[in-house]
Structures are given as C-alpha cells and as structure tokens.
Amino acid sequence: MYDVVLLTLGSERDASGGGCGSGGACCGGASEAAGERPEERCETPRVPVLACADALTARGARVETVTARSDAEIDAVLARLDGPPRADGLTWPDPDSKTRLVVATASDGQLRAVLRRLVRRYAPPPSRRPADLPENRTVPDLPPVGVLPLDPARSGTARDLAAQLGLPRDPAAVAAAVLDGTPRRLDLLRNDGGSVTLDGALLGAADDAGRPLHWRARVEVDGKLLSTGEEPIMACAIGNAGGYASLGDVALLADPDPSDGRVQVAVAVPVVTRSALGRKRVRLEVRRARGRAAAVVPRDGKVPFLDDGVEGELSRKRSWWTEPGAWAVWTA
C-alpha cells in the first residue's frame, strides 16, 4: 500500500521567486473578474484533485491533499521522500519509498517550483560530494513525481510540459500511472542563478505592436559562439524540451529531446543582404548548437525572458547546464 500526497501550490506563493505563474493564480483557475478570490479557490481542492484522490483511494492508497503556500510547506511534504540516515550525514531520497508525490499543476512554473525545492533539498554541497553521485551530475536521482494538470491540454505550439511528454491528464489515469506505472527519467537544467528549468527559457521581448526588440549578448554552448555580443539578436531559446521550439512562424529549436543529456540553444539574428539590383533585404538567420552547458552574457542592460513560463530579467551572465536523467515523472 502506498501513501500518496496530492500537492497543490497555494495563492500566497510568490510567482517571481517560486514559479507559480502569472497573476498569482497558483492554484489555477481562480478568476477575480468572476468575483472569485484566489484564496477561496485554494481552500477547496479543485475537481481534478478530488477526482484523483478518489481514484487513488479506490485502489487502496492512503491519500492526503496538501496546499502549500510557502517553500517551507513544500519542504515539509518533500521530507517524506527522504531515505534513511547516511553515514556521511547527507539528506538523500529513498529509492524504495512507499510514499508517492502527485503535483497538481496549473502551469509548468508550478511544477518547476517543486523541482527547485527537491534540488535544494538533495543537492550536496561541492565540499561534501559523495562517491555514489554520478560523475556528470550535482544531484542524485530525484524521486519521481506524478503530474496532475489542472487545465485542459494546450493546443498548437504552446503546449505545456505534460502534453509534450504525453502524460495522462485524466485524474483516474494519473492515479493509475502513479500506482502502476514506471518512472520516466528526464534531464534537468540547473543554472547559476540558483533555479532549475524543466522545459526551457526564451530570451527577448517585443514592443507594443508585437515587433521584436533587438538586443545584444554573447551566447555560447560548450565554448562554441553563437553570437559574439556585437550583433543584434531577435530571440534566444535555451531548450530542454520543446515549449520554445518556435517563435511565431520561426523555427528555433530542432527536435528538442528532454532525455538526450544535452541542452539545445538557438539564436535568431537578423542579417542584411543585398540583391543583384542592390536592394537591401533582411533575412532571419537561426544558429543552433547542442551541448552540456550554455552561457548568455547580456551587453545592453536587462533582457526580459520567460523560463518555464515565469517572467524575469537577465542583467548579468547566466549559465545553464544539463543534469542528465536527474528527475522523473510517473508514466503509464
């Protein structure tokens, strides 16, 4: 028999720091325009959460629903996944745990918020790196999580991570995957800003008319330069999965794979050419590279970005690196 914790992120979570998404809708679906306060919706679990809990209970699992409104409350849930004490004193996940975690998500940023706390809990300090940690990783195998999407599947190119991975969305199917499925291990992007990325990041912005704003930055992947920082850039995608594979009708990332152990980076640069008659033309050149790590150094102040759907600004060098197979989801 399994103990299952159904975790929802509450409305008091800070969207910018914790990755709850825009508008403070950490529970998902609350609409102030409809006269519904987010905190009221958070006090009562949403229908998919209740349906998933019922499906799990019907299968004999002991189920607890938790709404976390702070990092400390998330950490209290994650502590249930700890393994037995180690001789080196490190906190380590239990590979044979009978406790399983399901994260109810209204956005990829919410799932990222939980993974960020998992990394902070289990990543050992460099000075205490244990011998049983894989050479190409800074974190152990993180415990698999079940993903319960709270909103309908997104269509088109702006698909959420659950849709990209082909994960079940029906609460009963999610329950079955958590109890009977297998863990699918996926790459995790860590960065030197202290956070993590599951899907990807898109750097750049547009004006009020929707026209891309040009900016400059040095962009490199494993030492290979995609931009020296002297030419204008329209957009830069840092991809683990395919959420930012395209920008409008411009293909940025080519066949991103969240389990290939590499980060894919693309830079879209406007290039001026002249025809045989001397007419000036501007075409968009997309430069791509894959590797273990990527770095972006802005040259023109702050560069807006989206990271797993969470907004931010980049004003100094930021590096991302791949942690192959570091996290996992339950799949049918």
Side-chain angles (χ1 to χ4, degrees):
M1 180 182 295
Y2 291 107
D3 293 312
V4 181
V5 181
L6 265 166
L7 175 63
T8 302
L9 299 193
S11 62
E12 295 176 15
R13 297 258 324 145
D14 179 357
S16 61
C20 287
S22 61
C26 290
C27 294
S31 172
E32 294 182 8
E36 185 176 36
R37 293 186 300 172
E39 60 270 21
E40 291 175 346
R41 175 66 68 90
C42 288
E43 290 301 329
T44 303
R46 290 181 60 181
V47 172
V49 176
L50 297 175
C52 189
D54 289 343
L56 289 163
T57 301
R59 295 286 306 279
R62 293 184 292 258
V63 182
E64 180 181 357
T65 59
V66 176
T67 299
R69 295 181 176 80
S70 68
D71 285 342
E73 291 179 348
I74 294 177
D75 293 344
V77 171
L78 301 184
R80 307 183 195 189
L81 306 176
D82 290 354
R86 290 169 52 107
D88 57 15
L90 294 174
T91 301
W92 217 249
D94 184 357
D96 300 316
S97 176
K98 295 300 181 182
T99 299
R100 297 197 168 175
L101 173 66
V102 179
V103 182
T105 63
S107 69
D108 289 341
Q110 292 187 339
L111 182 60
R112 184 187 78 157
V114 176
L115 264 295
R116 180 170 173 262
R117 299 309 301 177
L118 274 172
V119 169
R120 290 179 66 88
R121 183 167 193 83
Y122 295 124
S127 61
R128 299 178 62 193
R129 181 183 176 89
D132 56 342
L133 188 65
E135 292 183 0
N136 60 350
R137 294 246 295 272
T138 64
V139 294
D141 285 353
L142 299 176
V145 298
V147 180
L148 175 63
L150 294 177
D151 296 320
R154 300 174 193 167
S155 60
T157 57
R159 297 185 301 162
D160 60 17
L161 190 58
Q164 293 181 57
L165 298 175
L167 300 181
R169 305 186 80 89
D170 176 75
V174 173
V178 169
L179 296 180
D180 302 327
T182 56
R184 176 184 174 186
R185 302 221 67 88
L186 301 164
D187 302 336
L188 180 72
L189 293 184
R190 293 193 67 184
N191 67 60
D192 56 4
S195 191
V196 301
T197 300
L198 309 180
D199 187 350
L202 180 65
L203 288 75
D207 61 19
D208 293 339
R211 294 183 295 265
L213 298 173
H214 294 166
W215 47 282
R216 297 182 306 150
R218 179 185 174 91
V219 181
E220 59 182 302
V221 181
D222 288 355
K224 177 182 178 180
L225 281 178
L226 296 182
S227 174
T228 63
E230 301 302 321
E231 56 198 333
I233 295 174
M234 188 184 80
C236 174
I238 311 289
N240 188 39
Y244 300 111
S246 61
L247 181 62
D249 57 355
V250 178
L252 295 176
L253 305 177
D255 301 321
D257 182 351
S259 58
D260 66 356
R262 295 184 295 173
V263 58
Q264 184 176 168
V265 181
V267 173
V269 179
V271 177
V272 178
T273 61
R274 292 188 180 276
S275 68
L277 300 177
R279 294 176 181 172
K280 185 170 68 173
R281 295 177 180 175
V282 179
R283 65 178 178 86
L284 197 61
E285 178 178 283
V286 179
R287 305 168 186 169
R288 303 181 180 94
R290 296 176 188 262
R292 177 78 170 85
V296 177
V297 184
R299 300 296 195 202
D300 300 318
K302 297 180 180 180
V303 179
F305 68 84
L306 290 173
D307 191 331
D308 285 342
V310 180
E311 297 179 356
E313 289 184 330
L314 191 64
S315 59
R316 63 185 66 183
K317 180 180 179 180
R318 174 66 49 83
S319 297
W320 291 260
W321 65 90
T322 305
E323 300 276 341
W327 74 293
V329 292
W330 288 109
T331 60

